PDB file of all heavy atoms in Angstrom:
ATOM      1  N   GLY J 337       0.813  -1.236  -0.049  1.00  0.00           N
ATOM      2  CA  GLY J 337      -0.008  -0.032  -0.004  1.00  0.00           C
ATOM      3  C   GLY J 337       0.819   1.260   0.095  1.00  0.00           C
ATOM      4  O   GLY J 337       0.353   2.318   0.032  1.00  0.00           O
ATOM      5  N   LEU J 338       2.091   1.108   0.028  1.00  0.00           N
ATOM      6  CA  LEU J 338       3.008   2.348  -0.003  1.00  0.00           C
ATOM      7  C   LEU J 338       3.436   2.697  -1.387  1.00  0.00           C
ATOM      8  O   LEU J 338       3.987   1.794  -2.159  1.00  0.00           O
ATOM      9  CB  LEU J 338       4.253   2.033   0.874  1.00  0.00           C
ATOM     10  CG  LEU J 338       5.048   3.275   1.147  1.00  0.00           C
ATOM     11  CD1 LEU J 338       4.383   4.246   2.042  1.00  0.00           C
ATOM     12  CD2 LEU J 338       6.425   2.707   1.961  1.00  0.00           C
ATOM     13  N   CYS J 339       3.254   3.923  -1.833  1.00  0.00           N
ATOM     14  CA  CYS J 339       3.631   4.361  -3.177  1.00  0.00           C
ATOM     15  C   CYS J 339       4.373   5.793  -3.037  1.00  0.00           C
ATOM     16  O   CYS J 339       3.805   6.610  -2.377  1.00  0.00           O
ATOM     17  CB  CYS J 339       2.446   4.549  -3.915  1.00  0.00           C
ATOM     18  SG  CYS J 339       2.713   5.033  -5.731  1.00  0.00           S
ATOM     19  N   ILE J 340       5.566   5.767  -3.703  1.00  0.00           N
ATOM     20  CA  ILE J 340       6.310   7.024  -3.602  1.00  0.00           C
ATOM     21  C   ILE J 340       6.410   7.508  -5.111  1.00  0.00           C
ATOM     22  O   ILE J 340       6.938   6.698  -5.990  1.00  0.00           O
ATOM     23  CB  ILE J 340       7.631   6.913  -2.905  1.00  0.00           C
ATOM     24  CG1 ILE J 340       8.489   8.182  -2.942  1.00  0.00           C
ATOM     25  CG2 ILE J 340       8.418   5.806  -3.368  1.00  0.00           C
ATOM     26  CD1 ILE J 340       9.635   8.200  -1.932  1.00  0.00           C
ATOM     27  N   SER J 341       6.170   8.657  -5.359  1.00  0.00           N
ATOM     28  CA  SER J 341       6.275   9.299  -6.753  1.00  0.00           C
ATOM     29  C   SER J 341       7.412  10.332  -6.774  1.00  0.00           C
ATOM     30  O   SER J 341       7.308  11.308  -6.062  1.00  0.00           O
ATOM     31  CB  SER J 341       4.962  10.031  -7.233  1.00  0.00           C
ATOM     32  OG  SER J 341       5.073  10.702  -8.373  1.00  0.00           O
ATOM     33  N   ARG J 342       8.391  10.074  -7.587  1.00  0.00           N
ATOM     34  CA  ARG J 342       9.580  10.929  -7.629  1.00  0.00           C
ATOM     35  C   ARG J 342       9.210  12.249  -8.372  1.00  0.00           C
ATOM     36  O   ARG J 342       9.685  13.246  -7.905  1.00  0.00           O
ATOM     37  CB  ARG J 342      10.740  10.179  -8.275  1.00  0.00           C
ATOM     38  CG  ARG J 342      12.074  10.943  -8.301  1.00  0.00           C
ATOM     39  CD  ARG J 342      13.153  10.161  -8.713  1.00  0.00           C
ATOM     40  NE  ARG J 342      14.459  10.747  -8.332  1.00  0.00           N
ATOM     41  CZ  ARG J 342      15.606   9.961  -8.531  1.00  0.00           C
ATOM     42  NH1 ARG J 342      15.568   8.741  -9.110  1.00  0.00           N
ATOM     43  NH2 ARG J 342      16.760  10.531  -8.147  1.00  0.00           N
ATOM     44  N   SER J 343       8.394  12.182  -9.453  1.00  0.00           N
ATOM     45  CA  SER J 343       8.121  13.322 -10.176  1.00  0.00           C
ATOM     46  C   SER J 343       7.168  14.286  -9.376  1.00  0.00           C
ATOM     47  O   SER J 343       7.373  15.516  -9.427  1.00  0.00           O
ATOM     48  CB  SER J 343       7.407  12.976 -11.494  1.00  0.00           C
ATOM     49  OG  SER J 343       6.375  12.189 -11.367  1.00  0.00           O
ATOM     50  N   ALA J 344       6.172  13.775  -8.667  1.00  0.00           N
ATOM     51  CA  ALA J 344       5.287  14.554  -7.962  1.00  0.00           C
ATOM     52  C   ALA J 344       5.810  14.866  -6.498  1.00  0.00           C
ATOM     53  O   ALA J 344       5.232  15.595  -5.844  1.00  0.00           O
ATOM     54  CB  ALA J 344       3.952  13.871  -7.827  1.00  0.00           C
ATOM     55  N   ARG J 345       6.817  14.053  -6.205  1.00  0.00           N
ATOM     56  CA  ARG J 345       7.374  14.108  -4.653  1.00  0.00           C
ATOM     57  C   ARG J 345       6.206  13.941  -3.683  1.00  0.00           C
ATOM     58  O   ARG J 345       6.045  14.753  -2.766  1.00  0.00           O
ATOM     59  CB  ARG J 345       8.063  15.453  -4.545  1.00  0.00           C
ATOM     60  CG  ARG J 345       9.378  15.450  -5.307  1.00  0.00           C
ATOM     61  CD  ARG J 345      10.289  16.564  -4.866  1.00  0.00           C
ATOM     62  NE  ARG J 345      10.836  16.481  -3.505  1.00  0.00           N
ATOM     63  CZ  ARG J 345      11.847  15.761  -3.102  1.00  0.00           C
ATOM     64  NH1 ARG J 345      12.617  15.078  -4.084  1.00  0.00           N
ATOM     65  NH2 ARG J 345      12.261  15.723  -1.903  1.00  0.00           N
ATOM     66  N   THR J 346       5.468  12.860  -3.824  1.00  0.00           N
ATOM     67  CA  THR J 346       4.393  12.593  -2.977  1.00  0.00           C
ATOM     68  C   THR J 346       4.549  11.139  -2.396  1.00  0.00           C
ATOM     69  O   THR J 346       5.086  10.222  -3.263  1.00  0.00           O
ATOM     70  CB  THR J 346       3.066  12.795  -3.630  1.00  0.00           C
ATOM     71  OG1 THR J 346       2.842  11.841  -4.762  1.00  0.00           O
ATOM     72  CG2 THR J 346       2.746  14.073  -4.039  1.00  0.00           C
ATOM     73  N   VAL J 347       4.047  10.826  -1.395  1.00  0.00           N
ATOM     74  CA  VAL J 347       4.010   9.519  -0.773  1.00  0.00           C
ATOM     75  C   VAL J 347       2.674   9.137  -0.264  1.00  0.00           C
ATOM     76  O   VAL J 347       2.040   9.995   0.424  1.00  0.00           O
ATOM     77  CB  VAL J 347       5.113   9.367   0.467  1.00  0.00           C
ATOM     78  CG1 VAL J 347       5.035   7.878   0.879  1.00  0.00           C
ATOM     79  CG2 VAL J 347       6.462   9.645  -0.079  1.00  0.00           C
ATOM     80  N   THR J 348       2.135   7.956  -0.645  1.00  0.00           N
ATOM     81  CA  THR J 348       0.751   7.629  -0.128  1.00  0.00           C
ATOM     82  C   THR J 348       0.898   6.287   0.479  1.00  0.00           C
ATOM     83  O   THR J 348       1.721   5.450   0.131  1.00  0.00           O
ATOM     84  CB  THR J 348      -0.303   7.600  -1.193  1.00  0.00           C
ATOM     85  OG1 THR J 348       0.151   6.633  -2.201  1.00  0.00           O
ATOM     86  CG2 THR J 348      -0.523   8.861  -1.825  1.00  0.00           C
ATOM     87  N   LYS J 349       0.059   5.937   1.598  1.00  0.00           N
ATOM     88  CA  LYS J 349       0.071   4.834   2.233  1.00  0.00           C
ATOM     89  C   LYS J 349      -1.369   4.250   2.341  1.00  0.00           C
ATOM     90  O   LYS J 349      -2.290   5.049   2.836  1.00  0.00           O
ATOM     91  CB  LYS J 349       0.543   4.827   3.649  1.00  0.00           C
ATOM     92  CG  LYS J 349       0.621   3.503   4.377  1.00  0.00           C
ATOM     93  CD  LYS J 349       1.151   3.757   5.843  1.00  0.00           C
ATOM     94  CE  LYS J 349       1.116   2.419   6.470  1.00  0.00           C
ATOM     95  NZ  LYS J 349       1.704   2.547   8.007  1.00  0.00           N
ATOM     96  N   ASP J 350      -1.794   3.328   1.612  1.00  0.00           N
ATOM     97  CA  ASP J 350      -3.080   2.799   1.476  1.00  0.00           C
ATOM     98  C   ASP J 350      -3.954   3.748   0.923  1.00  0.00           C
ATOM     99  O   ASP J 350      -5.172   3.938   1.328  1.00  0.00           O
ATOM    100  CB  ASP J 350      -3.563   2.296   2.847  1.00  0.00           C
ATOM    101  CG  ASP J 350      -2.775   1.108   3.466  1.00  0.00           C
ATOM    102  OD1 ASP J 350      -2.360   0.362   2.621  1.00  0.00           O
ATOM    103  OD2 ASP J 350      -2.717   1.000   4.592  1.00  0.00           O
ATOM    104  N   GLY J 351      -3.445   4.598   0.022  1.00  0.00           N
ATOM    105  CA  GLY J 351      -4.281   5.527  -0.620  1.00  0.00           C
ATOM    106  C   GLY J 351      -4.297   6.963  -0.010  1.00  0.00           C
ATOM    107  O   GLY J 351      -4.871   7.995  -0.615  1.00  0.00           O
ATOM    108  N   SER J 352      -3.859   7.063   1.135  1.00  0.00           N
ATOM    109  CA  SER J 352      -3.781   8.321   1.987  1.00  0.00           C
ATOM    110  C   SER J 352      -2.429   9.048   1.942  1.00  0.00           C
ATOM    111  O   SER J 352      -1.429   8.239   1.997  1.00  0.00           O
ATOM    112  CB  SER J 352      -4.164   8.072   3.493  1.00  0.00           C
ATOM    113  OG  SER J 352      -5.563   7.600   3.544  1.00  0.00           O
ATOM    114  N   PRO J 353      -2.367  10.204   1.698  1.00  0.00           N
ATOM    115  CA  PRO J 353      -1.087  10.916   1.643  1.00  0.00           C
ATOM    116  C   PRO J 353      -0.320  11.028   2.953  1.00  0.00           C
ATOM    117  O   PRO J 353      -0.933  11.199   3.974  1.00  0.00           O
ATOM    118  CB  PRO J 353      -1.533  12.405   1.198  1.00  0.00           C
ATOM    119  CG  PRO J 353      -2.922  12.441   1.604  1.00  0.00           C
ATOM    120  CD  PRO J 353      -3.462  11.178   1.511  1.00  0.00           C
ATOM    121  N   LEU J 354       0.920  10.845   2.861  1.00  0.00           N
ATOM    122  CA  LEU J 354       1.841  11.012   4.155  1.00  0.00           C
ATOM    123  C   LEU J 354       2.514  12.316   3.949  1.00  0.00           C
ATOM    124  O   LEU J 354       3.001  12.679   2.988  1.00  0.00           O
ATOM    125  CB  LEU J 354       2.783   9.889   4.117  1.00  0.00           C
ATOM    126  CG  LEU J 354       2.286   8.386   4.340  1.00  0.00           C
ATOM    127  CD1 LEU J 354       3.472   7.490   4.380  1.00  0.00           C
ATOM    128  CD2 LEU J 354       1.419   8.347   5.538  1.00  0.00           C
ATOM    129  N   ASP J 355       2.741  12.944   5.165  1.00  0.00           N
ATOM    130  CA  ASP J 355       3.351  14.205   5.225  1.00  0.00           C
ATOM    131  C   ASP J 355       4.833  14.068   5.531  1.00  0.00           C
ATOM    132  O   ASP J 355       5.102  13.821   6.705  1.00  0.00           O
ATOM    133  CB  ASP J 355       2.649  15.097   6.233  1.00  0.00           C
ATOM    134  CG  ASP J 355       3.254  16.513   6.184  1.00  0.00           C
ATOM    135  OD1 ASP J 355       3.944  16.968   5.333  1.00  0.00           O
ATOM    136  OD2 ASP J 355       3.065  17.336   7.284  1.00  0.00           O
ATOM    137  N   LEU J 356       5.663  14.065   4.577  1.00  0.00           N
ATOM    138  CA  LEU J 356       7.036  13.779   4.632  1.00  0.00           C
ATOM    139  C   LEU J 356       7.822  15.037   4.414  1.00  0.00           C
ATOM    140  O   LEU J 356       7.395  15.949   3.511  1.00  0.00           O
ATOM    141  CB  LEU J 356       7.577  12.710   3.706  1.00  0.00           C
ATOM    142  CG  LEU J 356       7.685  11.274   4.329  1.00  0.00           C
ATOM    143  CD1 LEU J 356       6.255  10.722   4.649  1.00  0.00           C
ATOM    144  CD2 LEU J 356       8.270  10.381   3.255  1.00  0.00           C
ATOM    145  N   THR J 357       8.877  15.271   5.141  1.00  0.00           N
ATOM    146  CA  THR J 357       9.742  16.443   4.868  1.00  0.00           C
ATOM    147  C   THR J 357      10.597  16.012   3.625  1.00  0.00           C
ATOM    148  O   THR J 357      10.546  14.986   3.154  1.00  0.00           O
ATOM    149  CB  THR J 357      10.762  16.644   6.016  1.00  0.00           C
ATOM    150  OG1 THR J 357      11.672  15.641   6.276  1.00  0.00           O
ATOM    151  CG2 THR J 357       9.931  16.912   7.378  1.00  0.00           C
ATOM    152  N   ALA J 358      11.311  17.077   3.038  1.00  0.00           N
ATOM    153  CA  ALA J 358      12.074  16.836   1.820  1.00  0.00           C
ATOM    154  C   ALA J 358      13.132  15.755   2.199  1.00  0.00           C
ATOM    155  O   ALA J 358      13.361  14.869   1.264  1.00  0.00           O
ATOM    156  CB  ALA J 358      12.713  18.164   1.477  1.00  0.00           C
ATOM    157  N   LYS J 359      13.691  15.861   3.300  1.00  0.00           N
ATOM    158  CA  LYS J 359      14.911  14.898   3.516  1.00  0.00           C
ATOM    159  C   LYS J 359      14.364  13.536   3.789  1.00  0.00           C
ATOM    160  O   LYS J 359      14.928  12.494   3.354  1.00  0.00           O
ATOM    161  CB  LYS J 359      15.630  15.314   4.827  1.00  0.00           C
ATOM    162  CG  LYS J 359      16.381  16.681   4.696  1.00  0.00           C
ATOM    163  CD  LYS J 359      17.484  16.570   3.548  1.00  0.00           C
ATOM    164  CE  LYS J 359      18.325  17.836   3.508  1.00  0.00           C
ATOM    165  NZ  LYS J 359      19.198  17.828   2.393  1.00  0.00           N
ATOM    166  N   GLU J 360      13.149  13.485   4.376  1.00  0.00           N
ATOM    167  CA  GLU J 360      12.481  12.044   4.653  1.00  0.00           C
ATOM    168  C   GLU J 360      12.189  11.472   3.337  1.00  0.00           C
ATOM    169  O   GLU J 360      12.249  10.394   3.040  1.00  0.00           O
ATOM    170  CB  GLU J 360      11.257  12.276   5.520  1.00  0.00           C
ATOM    171  CG  GLU J 360      11.529  12.579   6.934  1.00  0.00           C
ATOM    172  CD  GLU J 360      10.329  12.911   7.720  1.00  0.00           C
ATOM    173  OE1 GLU J 360       9.166  13.220   7.148  1.00  0.00           O
ATOM    174  OE2 GLU J 360      10.352  13.068   8.947  1.00  0.00           O
ATOM    175  N   PHE J 361      11.638  12.325   2.364  1.00  0.00           N
ATOM    176  CA  PHE J 361      11.283  11.783   1.127  1.00  0.00           C
ATOM    177  C   PHE J 361      12.523  11.323   0.294  1.00  0.00           C
ATOM    178  O   PHE J 361      12.475  10.199  -0.252  1.00  0.00           O
ATOM    179  CB  PHE J 361      10.577  12.983   0.276  1.00  0.00           C
ATOM    180  CG  PHE J 361      10.229  12.538  -1.098  1.00  0.00           C
ATOM    181  CD1 PHE J 361       8.989  11.989  -1.403  1.00  0.00           C
ATOM    182  CD2 PHE J 361      11.227  12.541  -2.193  1.00  0.00           C
ATOM    183  CE1 PHE J 361       8.656  11.556  -2.652  1.00  0.00           C
ATOM    184  CE2 PHE J 361      10.918  12.096  -3.413  1.00  0.00           C
ATOM    185  CZ  PHE J 361       9.590  11.650  -3.717  1.00  0.00           C
ATOM    186  N   ASP J 362      13.577  12.153   0.317  1.00  0.00           N
ATOM    187  CA  ASP J 362      14.754  11.566  -0.260  1.00  0.00           C
ATOM    188  C   ASP J 362      15.390  10.377   0.333  1.00  0.00           C
ATOM    189  O   ASP J 362      15.935   9.548  -0.489  1.00  0.00           O
ATOM    190  CB  ASP J 362      15.892  12.693  -0.258  1.00  0.00           C
ATOM    191  CG  ASP J 362      15.456  13.950  -1.148  1.00  0.00           C
ATOM    192  OD1 ASP J 362      14.628  13.848  -1.917  1.00  0.00           O
ATOM    193  OD2 ASP J 362      16.003  15.085  -0.831  1.00  0.00           O
ATOM    194  N   LEU J 363      15.259  10.257   1.621  1.00  0.00           N
ATOM    195  CA  LEU J 363      15.827   8.967   2.326  1.00  0.00           C
ATOM    196  C   LEU J 363      15.063   7.817   2.001  1.00  0.00           C
ATOM    197  O   LEU J 363      15.485   6.761   1.674  1.00  0.00           O
ATOM    198  CB  LEU J 363      15.853   9.343   3.709  1.00  0.00           C
ATOM    199  CG  LEU J 363      16.464   8.234   4.608  1.00  0.00           C
ATOM    200  CD1 LEU J 363      17.967   7.895   4.207  1.00  0.00           C
ATOM    201  CD2 LEU J 363      16.377   8.622   6.160  1.00  0.00           C
ATOM    202  N   LEU J 364      13.691   8.014   1.936  1.00  0.00           N
ATOM    203  CA  LEU J 364      12.773   6.940   1.610  1.00  0.00           C
ATOM    204  C   LEU J 364      12.921   6.431   0.303  1.00  0.00           C
ATOM    205  O   LEU J 364      13.086   5.285  -0.169  1.00  0.00           O
ATOM    206  CB  LEU J 364      11.242   7.246   1.932  1.00  0.00           C
ATOM    207  CG  LEU J 364      10.308   6.255   1.603  1.00  0.00           C
ATOM    208  CD1 LEU J 364      10.548   4.935   2.512  1.00  0.00           C
ATOM    209  CD2 LEU J 364       8.859   6.723   1.796  1.00  0.00           C
ATOM    210  N   TRP J 365      12.989   7.417  -0.662  1.00  0.00           N
ATOM    211  CA  TRP J 365      13.291   7.053  -2.171  1.00  0.00           C
ATOM    212  C   TRP J 365      14.575   6.167  -2.258  1.00  0.00           C
ATOM    213  O   TRP J 365      14.686   5.188  -2.979  1.00  0.00           O
ATOM    214  CB  TRP J 365      13.237   8.244  -3.089  1.00  0.00           C
ATOM    215  CG  TRP J 365      13.587   7.847  -4.414  1.00  0.00           C
ATOM    216  CD1 TRP J 365      14.846   7.804  -5.019  1.00  0.00           C
ATOM    217  CD2 TRP J 365      12.609   7.536  -5.409  1.00  0.00           C
ATOM    218  NE1 TRP J 365      14.669   7.417  -6.410  1.00  0.00           N
ATOM    219  CE2 TRP J 365      13.284   7.315  -6.688  1.00  0.00           C
ATOM    220  CE3 TRP J 365      11.233   7.487  -5.411  1.00  0.00           C
ATOM    221  CZ2 TRP J 365      12.624   6.871  -7.811  1.00  0.00           C
ATOM    222  CZ3 TRP J 365      10.589   7.089  -6.688  1.00  0.00           C
ATOM    223  CH2 TRP J 365      11.243   6.805  -7.773  1.00  0.00           C
ATOM    224  N   LEU J 366      15.600   6.714  -1.638  1.00  0.00           N
ATOM    225  CA  LEU J 366      16.925   6.078  -1.884  1.00  0.00           C
ATOM    226  C   LEU J 366      16.823   4.554  -1.250  1.00  0.00           C
ATOM    227  O   LEU J 366      17.438   3.701  -1.850  1.00  0.00           O
ATOM    228  CB  LEU J 366      18.036   6.857  -1.074  1.00  0.00           C
ATOM    229  CG  LEU J 366      19.411   6.445  -1.153  1.00  0.00           C
ATOM    230  CD1 LEU J 366      19.826   6.424  -2.711  1.00  0.00           C
ATOM    231  CD2 LEU J 366      20.298   7.391  -0.391  1.00  0.00           C
ATOM    232  N   LEU J 367      16.282   4.422  -0.102  1.00  0.00           N
ATOM    233  CA  LEU J 367      16.018   3.086   0.527  1.00  0.00           C
ATOM    234  C   LEU J 367      15.329   2.102  -0.349  1.00  0.00           C
ATOM    235  O   LEU J 367      15.681   1.011  -0.646  1.00  0.00           O
ATOM    236  CB  LEU J 367      15.527   3.179   1.833  1.00  0.00           C
ATOM    237  CG  LEU J 367      16.503   3.834   2.974  1.00  0.00           C
ATOM    238  CD1 LEU J 367      15.717   4.203   4.219  1.00  0.00           C
ATOM    239  CD2 LEU J 367      17.589   2.774   3.388  1.00  0.00           C
ATOM    240  N   MET J 368      14.137   2.636  -0.880  1.00  0.00           N
ATOM    241  CA  MET J 368      13.223   1.823  -1.614  1.00  0.00           C
ATOM    242  C   MET J 368      13.825   1.565  -2.975  1.00  0.00           C
ATOM    243  O   MET J 368      13.563   0.436  -3.503  1.00  0.00           O
ATOM    244  CB  MET J 368      11.834   2.519  -1.853  1.00  0.00           C
ATOM    245  CG  MET J 368      11.056   2.545  -0.495  1.00  0.00           C
ATOM    246  SD  MET J 368       9.400   3.304  -0.746  1.00  0.00           S
ATOM    247  CE  MET J 368       8.577   2.007  -1.815  1.00  0.00           C
ATOM    248  N   GLU J 369      14.550   2.485  -3.611  1.00  0.00           N
ATOM    249  CA  GLU J 369      15.227   2.269  -4.856  1.00  0.00           C
ATOM    250  C   GLU J 369      16.198   1.232  -4.806  1.00  0.00           C
ATOM    251  O   GLU J 369      16.454   0.505  -5.690  1.00  0.00           O
ATOM    252  CB  GLU J 369      15.741   3.522  -5.350  1.00  0.00           C
ATOM    253  CG  GLU J 369      16.387   3.576  -6.707  1.00  0.00           C
ATOM    254  CD  GLU J 369      16.854   4.941  -7.165  1.00  0.00           C
ATOM    255  OE1 GLU J 369      17.522   5.641  -6.390  1.00  0.00           O
ATOM    256  OE2 GLU J 369      16.771   5.229  -8.345  1.00  0.00           O
ATOM    257  N   ASN J 370      16.810   1.002  -3.649  1.00  0.00           N
ATOM    258  CA  ASN J 370      17.789   0.055  -3.526  1.00  0.00           C
ATOM    259  C   ASN J 370      17.329  -1.184  -2.488  1.00  0.00           C
ATOM    260  O   ASN J 370      18.071  -1.780  -1.735  1.00  0.00           O
ATOM    261  CB  ASN J 370      19.134   0.575  -2.778  1.00  0.00           C
ATOM    262  CG  ASN J 370      19.765   1.551  -3.750  1.00  0.00           C
ATOM    263  OD1 ASN J 370      20.693   1.116  -4.478  1.00  0.00           O
ATOM    264  ND2 ASN J 370      19.483   2.838  -3.634  1.00  0.00           N
ATOM    265  N   ARG J 371      16.089  -1.489  -2.669  1.00  0.00           N
ATOM    266  CA  ARG J 371      15.420  -2.463  -1.895  1.00  0.00           C
ATOM    267  C   ARG J 371      16.277  -3.871  -1.752  1.00  0.00           C
ATOM    268  O   ARG J 371      16.690  -4.339  -2.769  1.00  0.00           O
ATOM    269  CB  ARG J 371      14.060  -2.837  -2.492  1.00  0.00           C
ATOM    270  CG  ARG J 371      13.208  -3.716  -1.537  1.00  0.00           C
ATOM    271  CD  ARG J 371      11.822  -3.802  -2.054  1.00  0.00           C
ATOM    272  NE  ARG J 371      11.032  -4.619  -1.116  1.00  0.00           N
ATOM    273  CZ  ARG J 371       9.684  -4.808  -1.224  1.00  0.00           C
ATOM    274  NH1 ARG J 371       9.005  -4.177  -2.210  1.00  0.00           N
ATOM    275  NH2 ARG J 371       8.900  -5.572  -0.408  1.00  0.00           N
ATOM    276  N   GLY J 372      16.468  -4.305  -0.575  1.00  0.00           N
ATOM    277  CA  GLY J 372      17.123  -5.490  -0.265  1.00  0.00           C
ATOM    278  C   GLY J 372      18.641  -5.315  -0.199  1.00  0.00           C
ATOM    279  O   GLY J 372      19.317  -6.240   0.226  1.00  0.00           O
TER     280      GLY J 372
END
């Protein structure tokens, strides 16, 4: 249910938006991009 959009810089969980700071977003993208 977690979706992160790099172009829109948005994160949703089960369809609901999450309020992330810019650094939190960049950190989550980097981690998910290198999953595992």
